[in-house]
Each structure stands twice: as C-alpha cells, then as structure tokens.
Amino acid sequence: MSSDPPAAAVNVGVPVHTSSRRLPDFLQSVNLKYVKLGYHYLMTHLLTLLLIPLGAVIFVQASQTNPDDLRNLWLHLQYNLVTVIACSAFLVFGSTVYIMTRPRSVYLVDFSCYRPPSHLQAKFTQFMEHSRLTGDFDESSLEFQRKILERSGLGEETCVPEAMHHIPPRPSMAAAREEAEQVMFGALDNLFANTHVKPKDIGILVVNCSLFNPTPSLSAMIVNKYKLRGNIRSFNLGGMGCSAGVIAIDLAKDMLQVHRNTYAVVVSTENITQNWYFGNKKSMLIPNCLFRVGGAAILLSNKESDKRRSKYKLVHVVRTHKGADDKAFKCVYQEQDGAGKTGVSLSKDLMAIAGGALKTNITTLGPLVLPISEQLLFFATLMAKKIFKAKLNAYIPDFKLAFDHFCIHAGGRAVIDELEKNLDLEPQHVEASRMTLHRFGNTSSSSIWYELAYTEAKGRMRKGNRVWQIAFGSGFKCNSAVWKALRNVKPSPKSPWEDCIHRYPVPILS
C-alpha cells in the first residue's frame, strides 16, 4: 500500500472556483512508485532500445544488396580460403568449449511436503495441560510457554510427534526413528508417485536434519527403504539449523554439475522426539512452543529432457556464514542447563545477529537479481553520501522489482514481521510465510517448501515468476535460493494445503 496521498485529496482546502480551472498539481498527485517503476522498465530494456536502431540500419543495408554484391562477396571468400577455414575452426572450437564448460541447468521437477495426521495436532489447551502434567515445569515456565503460544502466530492444527502425546512423554531412540521414517518416507512416497521416477534412477541423495543423527544415518535409512542403487552419492547434513535446506539444494546443485544425466533428491526435515526440553530455562523453552512436525522431499534434474515437465529452474544460491563471530556462533546453541537437561538456547541477540546476516546476504544477492535501475539508484545514493557528504538516508533496493514471490523461513512471527518491515514488503508478500507458520508451525528447514506449496495452491505461480526462498539457521547462517517458474504451476496431488487452502488466509491476532 502506498503512503502517498490519493489524487482526490491533493486539493483539499483549495476553493472550488480556483482548483476547477487549473490542471492537477502533478508534482503532488503523482504516485512515486509509478515513476520508479517506469524508470525500472526503461533501464531494464535500455539495451533492447539501443539495438532496435542498429538492427534497422542492418536491415536497410541488407535490403539494398544486389546480386553483383553477393557475387563479389563470394569471390572474395574464395580467394581467402585459409582465413575462412581458420575463422570457422575458431568458431567451432569456441562453441565446443563454451558448451562443455557452461554451468548445467538444474531443474526442480517437483517437490512434496509431508502432512502429519490430524491425531497428532496439539491444541493450545492440550499443549498446556500436557506440559503441566509432566511435572517438569514450574508455574513461571508454564505461564511463559502460554504467552509464547498466544503470541507465536501458530494455529490450533500444528502437530507434535506421537511420543509427546503420551503422559509422561516417551522420547526414545525408537520413537525418534519412527518420527523420521513417517516424515521422510511419507514425503518421498508422494514425490515418487507424482513424478513417476523410479528410485533406482536417483543418482544423488542429500538429507538434512539438524538435531537427530542416528547410526546408520538418515540417508542410509532412505537407501535401505527404497533399495537405491549401490553407487549412489549420498550425503547426510547434521547440526546446520533451519537454513540447511538451502545448503542441501546447493550441494545437490554442485553434484549435478559433475554427474551428467541424473536425478538428485533432497530431503529436508527436523526431528523433535528426542529434542523436547523438559527444564525451566526460559531461553530454552521457546523451541518447544514453535517447532512442529514437518518435512519435504525435492526432486532435481540436470536432464534437458526434463525441462518441459519441471516446475522451476534454479537461478542462484547465495550463502552467508557468520560463524567466525562468537556471538553469532552461540546465538542458537544446544547445551545443558544447570539441572543437566539438554535443549536449544536462543540468545537475546538473535534478531540483531539475524539482521546482520540478512544484510550481508542481500548485499551479495542484490547485484545478481536486481534490475540495473535499482543498482544505479543505490550507487548514486552511496556516492552522494561518501563523496559529497550529502545527508541522505541509505537507499534500500526494492526487491519487489526482482521477485514475484517470497518464501521467508517461518521461524517465528518476529522474524516475518522484521523482514516485512525492513524489505518494505506488502502483506501479500509474507502471506505464505504467515499462513505456513499458522497451519504447520516452524518445521525448520522444510518451512520454505510449505510456503512454496501455499503459493501454488493459491494459483498465483505464473510462467516466468521469480521466487526468493530465504532461511536463517544456527551457526549463524542466512541462505537464499532463487527459482524461476518454467510454466504456470499448479499444485501437485496430495499437496499439504489440498483440503484446507480455501480457509486461508486467516486473520492473525495481535
């Protein structure tokens, strides 16, 4: 929504007999965003505009060529055969080198998000009652959890694992394995059914789960379940936080540059069963209130033949790591409290550190995605401040000109609020993130895929649209992935929003 006054209100207070005889005051009534948009279009198509006259001149010259001119050209080439052969060889060699060394396109054929069964839903009253009955939390901690739940942006349909529904809870290794199997296999079964790709055709497998790393690994569990081939390149990423989903995509992309004509599967999830905190340290209680069951499976391909049926093409991946700074390293930290109970502690500096990581990430990403108009405005403002000492506010590039859809990691309400404010986004740009947080909670690295599925379910993804997935994670990391829609994308069968999208968006209470 623009903050500029509407045109009808510009002349309020001016006598009718005067204003009716004047042209509108364009300097006041014009909407600045349209001037900016026009400038963006002009600069974006500047090269095309310059090439049009050049093309016209070439066309006119070619139309004036007569048969004698063509005959003379042919004779000239015959008498310079060595030069012609050398130029032709150079062109063939150069073209071959370019084709062999250029980066391979990576296509997202399809993806699938796990939808937990309804009996795992944790209503607020049920959540608080179970927390009270465990006997592990004092009254202060219970009240703290109640306030977090009320302000979190989560709805009543988010799910916790089976082990947490028992009184007392049963967080065993067997229960954690069961949660992992249900989530990963549920997403993969649907992915294979929708894409008709055989498990034996998978050449690369990347699994990321931060807190649960059993032996054999989660990737080995998938290899065993689907009887994947013996020479598969499999990777298991642990301890990398909520942004590990983008890291997994980046690793799969790099592997697809090396191994020809194959598929890569990325599985992003988190495991809650053995990572519930049963203590009274406030900073370690927040994850209990936010994290919920979820996971996603993504099928990538480097085959040109898959371009026609794929949904998206991977354009950019930008990764930022602030782990060299001690505060950033410890702002999301798994540890034991004074009573010896293990949990994940969130620092009070988390938002400030996330903001610094975001700033670095978008500064790197900007030149790759922003139109030249935005880059020139940013550069001009920077030069005016640095050289001429002009008292100007820092110019924040308009990322709405670079992206059509935003998938902001649903880490919590505060994260979404801050990005909406700092990037000057409209409510519709963060709708997918807010609704994913409301319906599924913080599903860690898979949340950006539930958000993409939401956009598809709403029928908003059109051919050529660009999507920005951005996620934050322990370490501290901020990672971005940019995708381009290859067609008008419809939701895949058994989408997580299939039977509830008509109810969204829902109002979020303050």
Side-chain angles (χ1 to χ4, degrees):
M1 298 288 288
S2 172
S3 59
D4 296 330
V10 170
N11 292 319
V12 172
V14 180
V16 175
H17 68 275
T18 303
S19 62
S20 62
R21 295 181 183 180
R22 293 179 180 173
L23 289 173
D25 187 344
F26 291 106
L27 291 177
Q28 295 185 41
S29 63
V30 71
N31 195 322
L32 182 60
K33 71 178 181 181
Y34 294 119
V35 176
K36 192 175 180 182
L37 187 61
Y39 174 57
H40 153 64
Y41 287 148
L42 175 64
M43 296 306 296
T44 301
H45 300 290
L46 183 60
L47 181 60
T48 304
L49 295 175
L50 293 176
L51 288 176
I52 289 175
L54 179 61
V57 171
I58 295 173
F59 177 78
V60 170
Q61 290 294 326
S63 64
Q64 294 176 350
T65 303
N66 56 46
D68 289 336
D69 294 330
L70 295 175
R71 192 179 301 111
N72 291 332
L73 178 62
W74 174 248
L75 291 173
H76 178 74
L77 292 175
Q78 283 182 320
Y79 286 113
N80 292 274
L81 188 59
V82 175
T83 303
V84 173
I85 293 174
C87 291
S88 300
F90 177 77
L91 289 173
V92 171
F93 176 76
S95 300
T96 303
V97 170
Y98 171 75
I99 292 172
M100 296 297 293
T101 59
R102 67 187 175 95
R104 303 179 191 280
S105 296
V106 174
Y107 303 108
L108 193 161
V109 181
D110 204 351
F111 67 96
S112 175
C113 298
Y114 174 71
R115 179 168 180 174
S118 57
H119 72 269
L120 295 182
Q121 291 178 2
K123 309 288 185 184
F124 286 1
T125 54
Q126 179 189 8
F127 181 96
M128 291 307 304
E129 181 65 12
H130 280 206
S131 296
R132 186 181 65 81
L133 291 175
T134 62
D136 293 297
F137 306 106
D138 58 31
E139 287 301 320
S140 176
S141 296
L142 290 171
E143 179 62 16
F144 179 77
Q145 291 183 80
R146 184 187 65 79
K147 289 181 178 179
I148 292 294
L149 280 175
E150 290 176 351
R151 302 169 184 173
S152 64
L154 272 68
E156 297 276 359
E157 297 178 78
T158 63
C159 296
V160 297
E162 184 74 44
M164 297 299 105
H165 284 273
H166 294 281
I167 301 176
R170 303 172 184 173
S172 64
M173 173 64 78
R177 284 184 182 274
E178 184 179 352
E179 179 193 348
E181 291 174 354
Q182 288 177 351
V183 174
M184 296 191 305
F185 299 165
L188 284 167
D189 286 346
N190 192 43
L191 181 68
F192 289 138
N194 290 342
T195 59
H196 306 290
V197 170
K198 298 177 181 177
K200 288 286 186 181
D201 294 333
I202 305 302
I204 300 161
L205 173 65
V206 183
V207 181
N208 71 269
C209 181
S210 191
L211 294 174
F212 181 57
N213 294 284
T215 300
S217 66
L218 297 177
S219 59
M221 290 167 60
I222 294 174
V223 171
N224 177 258
K225 164 70 175 178
Y226 296 98
K227 309 305 176 188
L228 303 183
R229 62 199 200 196
N231 65 343
I232 190 168
R233 276 79 175 177
S234 65
F235 303 87
N236 200 95
L237 307 181
M240 303 194 78
C242 299
S243 67
V246 178
I247 297 173
I249 291 291
D250 191 36
L251 175 57
K253 178 205 71 174
D254 290 344
M255 294 298 294
L256 287 170
Q257 298 302 313
V258 178
H259 302 283
R260 297 172 176 271
N261 201 40
T262 190
Y263 290 107
V265 166
V266 173
V267 178
S268 294
T269 187
E270 190 52 85
N271 195 284
I272 300 174
T273 297
Q274 285 192 306
N275 295 289
W276 203 266
Y277 176 61
F278 293 100
N280 292 289
K281 188 176 179 179
K282 299 291 195 298
S283 63
M284 300 172 79
L285 283 169
I286 298 174
N288 286 8
C289 303
L290 297 179
F291 282 87
R292 296 293 184 265
V293 172
I298 304 96
L299 179 66
L300 303 175
S301 172
N302 59 11
K303 303 179 183 181
E304 282 297 322
S305 58
D306 279 322
K307 181 178 180 179
R308 184 182 298 272
R309 70 168 182 148
S310 296
K311 288 184 172 183
Y312 307 95
K313 177 182 177 180
L314 182 60
V315 183
H316 300 292
V317 175
V318 174
R319 294 167 56 179
T320 299
H321 203 308
K322 292 289 187 179
D325 178 77
D326 290 342
K327 283 188 176 180
F329 175 70
K330 290 192 174 183
C331 72
V332 180
Y333 202 77
Q334 187 179 26
E335 60 183 350
Q336 290 181 321
D337 64 10
K341 296 182 178 181
T342 303
V344 176
S345 176
L346 304 183
S347 166
K348 64 180 185 299
D349 299 320
L350 176 59
M351 291 304 297
I353 291 168
L358 172 66
K359 180 180 178 181
T360 302
N361 190 265
I362 65 176
T363 301
T364 307
L365 180 66
L368 300 176
V369 298
L370 287 168
I372 190 66
S373 58
E374 286 298 290
Q375 297 189 47
L376 288 176
L377 281 170
F378 177 78
F379 182 76
T381 305
L382 183 63
M383 289 298 99
K385 291 182 65 177
K386 295 292 185 181
I387 298 177
F388 302 106
K389 307 300 181 182
K391 294 182 179 180
L392 298 172
N393 292 326
Y395 179 71
I396 300 176
D398 188 353
F399 280 90
K400 299 189 292 295
L401 295 175
F403 303 111
D404 302 281
H405 307 284
F406 297 78
C407 296
I408 301 167
H409 167 52
R413 187 173 180 176
V415 174
I416 301 171
D417 287 346
E418 285 301 307
L419 263 73
E420 179 183 13
K421 177 182 176 182
N422 292 334
L423 296 179
D424 193 27
L425 302 180
E426 305 292 346
Q428 64 267 25
H429 293 132
V430 295
E431 180 183 315
S433 300
R434 292 195 190 282
M435 297 307 106
T436 293
L437 183 64
H438 181 273
R439 175 60 186 84
F440 295 100
N442 180 350
T443 59
S444 190
S445 57
S446 65
S447 69
I448 54 178
W449 297 104
Y450 286 90
E451 293 161 15
L452 188 56
Y454 178 91
T455 304
E456 292 181 359
K458 280 293 184 182
R460 297 171 181 171
M461 191 64 67
R462 317 306 295 173
K463 183 178 180 179
N465 282 181
R466 290 199 170 208
V467 185
W468 182 15
Q469 291 181 320
I470 183 165
F472 302 89
S474 58
F476 189 85
K477 298 180 286 291
C478 177
N479 300 320
S480 294
V482 179
W483 304 88
K484 182 179 180 180
L486 298 175
R487 53 185 168 88
N488 295 341
V489 181
K490 297 180 180 179
S492 301
K494 294 186 179 179
S495 160
W497 301 93
E498 194 170 58
D499 64 350
C500 63
I501 192 63
H502 62 280
R503 295 191 275 115
Y504 288 88
V506 298
I508 304 296
L509 299 177
S510 301

